Amino acid sequence: MSTTSVPDLQDARVRLGDSALEVSPICLGTMTFGEQVDEAAAHRLLDHALERGINFLDTAEMYAVPARAETYGATETILGRWFAADRSRRRRVVLATKVAGPSRGMPWIRDGAQDLRPEHIRQACEDSLRRLQTDVIDLYQIHWPNRHVPAFGGIYFDPAKDKPQTSIDAQLQALGELVQQGKVRAIGLSNETPWGVMKFLQRAEALGLPRVATVQNPYALVNRSVDNGLDEVLYRSGVSLLAYSPLGFGTLTGKYDEPGLDAARPELGRLARFAVMRLQRWAREETLDAARRYNALAREHGLTPTRMALAFCYRNWRVASTIIGVTTVAQLDENVDAWGTTLSPELLDAIHALRWRHRDPAQ
């Protein structure tokens, strides 16, 4: 029902959009560093990722997650100390980070500003460079749009929530300044819509400013929102998809197959350990139900749920690089080992049939 080979990421490099960045098809996401993963463990994971052929790291100014004032910037700081301990590490990796969009209940970021202005972008970049102890960010992304969009589990656009914000032109101009100054090599978006991607591309061309190279959006068996038009936009525009949450916050590993998400079993992961996480899309009962169906399907075909879910993303034509999040070396190895798996046409048909039954509950 599937084929598996020995994974080798060293020769499997992907070019991001029209940039000069070449990355591994697996990216190590770091949002657990500084909360679930302490600094020493984070450094071990980073070392091991390099050993396994991963050359792409993704972080953000707002990390660690769940976001708290006490851990704001902690993840970038941990990465910066890892780079400082051995300067050759920085040359071996493609480093991505993000400037947070307008405040989503986080008053410790720019005093809870409800707008992302050019001076915010410039200062956030300077702060990230300092924490990361580097002179340049390879990929600098806007973490979420500076306007109302149906993101983070939202489904419908609501014109009543629209309001004047700093324009896409002004955001692009600020990013363009950072590129011109040599502080950023390429730019990207995250949690973006088809309209947003097209508008950024159109205005960049009109103004002679840097072109968006990537879009980092959720993509998983329980969230296929990319398929609703964004995939065509990215394909025809030559913009690369960075797929995050390929395991649906752990729901597609099988560890939440038993009913009940509570703090009694924090070892299970974020959804069990942090109450705030249980308010998110991934903890919806319909999402958990859909994930359990996919997990059962994987076992029926002789695969672990994790392997099937990751193989679905890894071998999907829409995805340039898949962002994995791990807390242990064993998890990292399991995730990388899944790279060698190709799902059979019969299994893919069964996956698609299940999709139409649950209609992407985590969107």
Side-chain angles (χ1 to χ4, degrees):
M1 290 297 182
S2 65
T3 58
T4 301
S5 60
V6 177
D8 184 1
L9 298 181
Q10 298 290 351
D11 299 322
R13 293 294 187 251
V14 179
R15 186 179 176 190
L16 297 182
D18 66 350
S19 76
L21 304 178
E22 293 190 353
V23 304
S24 50
I26 301 176
C27 171
L28 181 61
T30 61
M31 72 178 186
T32 60
F33 295 1
E35 184 63 70
Q36 290 175 267
V37 180
D38 64 25
E39 185 163 339
H43 288 181
R44 288 193 294 272
L45 286 170
L46 290 163
D47 289 336
H48 195 63
L50 285 182
E51 293 170 2
R52 292 303 309 264
I54 293 175
N55 81 327
F56 191 16
L57 306 177
D58 179 73
T59 188
E61 66 165 332
M62 64 162 281
Y63 292 167
V65 170
R68 297 187 294 125
E70 296 81 2
T71 57
Y72 169 64
T75 304
E76 288 186 331
T77 299
I78 288 171
L79 285 168
R81 289 175 183 152
W82 183 68
F83 290 136
D86 181 347
R87 286 298 175 185
S88 69
R89 291 167 172 162
R90 180 64 189 92
R91 296 190 294 272
R92 295 173 64 187
V93 303
V94 174
L95 176 63
T97 192
K98 314 178 198 74
V99 52
S103 180
R104 299 178 61 88
M106 293 177 284
W108 55 88
I109 302 179
R110 289 179 282 283
D111 296 322
Q114 297 298 310
D115 190 16
L116 181 63
R117 298 194 294 271
E119 59 267 30
H120 295 156
I121 294 173
R122 290 190 289 266
Q123 187 60 56
C125 182
E126 294 290 349
D127 292 343
S128 286
L129 288 169
R130 173 179 49 79
R131 286 189 293 262
L132 289 164
Q133 300 195 48
T134 186
D135 295 326
V136 61
I137 294 164
D138 296 309
L139 178 64
Y140 199 45
Q141 306 153 98
I142 297 176
H143 207 150
W144 54 85
N146 190 39
R147 63 185 194 282
H148 163 64
V149 296
F152 299 107
I155 299 175
Y156 302 112
F157 174 72
D158 182 358
K161 296 181 180 178
D162 210 21
K163 60 183 178 181
Q165 297 285 93
T166 293
S167 68
I168 285 175
D169 286 12
Q171 294 171 69
L172 275 170
Q173 287 164 351
L175 292 169
E177 289 175 13
L178 294 173
V179 172
Q180 188 175 36
Q181 293 166 2
K183 296 174 181 177
V184 168
R185 290 200 171 102
I187 66 170
L189 304 171
S190 185
N191 300 296
E192 197 42 281
T193 68
W195 183 90
V197 176
M198 289 302 302
K199 200 65 176 177
F200 268 91
L201 293 173
Q202 290 168 355
R203 297 311 297 161
E205 182 176 359
L207 298 171
L209 291 169
R211 193 175 193 272
V212 168
T214 61
V215 173
Q216 183 180 147
N217 273 27
Y219 196 62
L221 290 171
V222 291
N223 188 328
R224 305 277 293 279
S225 54
V226 166
D227 298 352
N228 295 331
L230 183 57
D231 54 354
E232 182 184 7
V233 168
L234 300 181
Y235 172 77
R236 297 194 184 281
S237 303
V239 176
S240 296
L241 174 65
L242 307 180
Y244 78 75
S245 292
L247 295 176
F249 263 46
T251 62
L252 292 166
T253 66
K255 62 185 174 184
Y256 297 119
D257 280 1
E258 294 298 321
L261 290 177
D262 57 55
R265 299 186 64 195
E267 74 280 1
L268 290 179
R270 284 165 285 177
L271 293 184
R273 182 174 175 178
F274 303 112
V276 66
M277 292 295 186
R278 295 195 290 277
L279 302 176
Q280 295 196 4
R281 53 193 152 160
W282 309 107
R284 293 172 180 166
E285 191 52 46
E286 58 268 32
T287 303
L288 293 166
D289 179 66
R292 289 161 186 151
R293 293 176 186 272
Y294 282 121
N295 297 342
L297 180 65
R299 296 182 184 106
E300 289 170 10
H301 287 260
L303 298 171
T304 65
T306 296
R307 185 174 287 268
M308 187 181 83
L310 288 175
F312 174 79
C313 284
Y314 289 166
R315 301 298 175 174
N316 196 299
W317 66 263
R318 297 168 179 84
V319 178
S321 189
T322 301
I323 302 173
I324 60 171
V326 300
T327 57
T328 66
V329 168
Q331 288 178 348
L332 178 56
D333 281 334
E334 181 183 22
N335 285 194
V336 174
D337 289 345
W339 168 251
T341 302
T342 301
L343 305 181
S344 70
E346 294 79 12
L347 180 49
L348 287 172
D349 285 344
I351 286 172
H352 295 322
L354 271 183
R355 180 202 176 182
W356 292 111
R357 291 180 62 182
H358 67 70
R359 300 179 68 178
D360 298 358
Q363 285 185 25

